Amino acid sequence: MTSSGEPPDGSEPYKPAPGIPAFEARLRRHKRSATVARNHLRDFLQNVPGGPVLMDDAQLVLGELVANAVTHARVSPGREIAVRFEVVRDHLRIEVHDASSEKPAIRCAADLSDVSGRGLYLVEALSREWGFEPRPEGIGKIVWALVGPEGGVE
């Protein structure tokens, strides 16, 4: 699902929470980057009121988005990915930036024997909403998800 950034209830757009600065980090495109990103997220959420409530779902969503960027963003060697976390209202906005223009898409259902192919299903299930947009720099995309205390979309 993609979104304009408007909350589903039609109230004010999601805005950054006052007093909680966003976190940004650059990571190598490497299979261990998901672990590094989750460590950054744990540190970030320790200092956010209500952060521990978001921890489990947020770590799973972030891990899947970073793994997708590492696996599917077919770009030249040396290109990094970036992660960004920001509290907006009572939600956590997770962003993963990569240099690929390839749009993320939920593939057809994975068989029980498949060892991969479920990442965006998890993102969909655990996020209030998620989507992607072009990077302002003009190269690549930002894949984002909003994780909240209420869990994923009903």
Side-chain angles (χ1 to χ4, degrees):
M1 129 184 37
T2 58
S3 169
S4 63
E6 299 290 325
D9 62 6
S11 60
E12 285 186 49
Y14 293 116
K15 294 185 179 178
I20 304 173
F23 172 86
E24 297 181 26
R26 290 193 157 307
L27 306 170
R28 291 180 32 226
R29 275 187 50 243
H30 190 276
K31 62 184 177 181
R32 285 181 252 165
S33 292
T35 300
V36 173
R38 285 192 302 267
N39 289 339
H40 286 310
L41 179 64
R42 275 194 298 276
D43 292 344
F44 176 78
L45 288 177
Q46 293 299 330
N47 300 311
V48 171
V53 172
L54 304 172
M55 189 79 69
D56 291 340
D57 287 353
Q59 287 187 92
L60 283 168
V61 167
L62 175 63
E64 293 300 333
L65 294 180
V66 171
N68 280 351
V70 168
T71 303
H72 301 294
R74 301 190 198 311
V75 295
S76 56
R79 293 280 186 166
E80 293 178 312
I81 59 173
V83 295
R84 185 174 192 279
F85 318 131
E86 181 175 37
V87 176
V88 287
R89 292 180 19 178
D90 60 346
H91 291 75
L92 173 67
R93 181 178 167 105
I94 297 169
E95 295 179 3
V96 177
H97 302 227
D98 67 52
S100 171
S101 299
E102 186 177 331
K103 297 176 181 178
I106 296 177
R107 294 186 276 159
C108 55
D111 291 331
L112 292 176
S113 61
D114 291 343
V115 295
S116 65
R118 295 175 184 84
L120 290 178
Y121 283 108
L122 287 172
V123 171
E124 174 96 4
L126 297 174
S127 302
R128 181 72 182 136
E129 58 185 296
W130 73 278
F132 62 93
E133 57 199 48
R135 287 173 63 192
E137 302 85 33
I139 298 173
K141 67 184 173 300
I142 300 168
V143 182
W144 57 267
L146 286 174
V147 176
E150 74 281 355
V153 175
E154 299 156 10

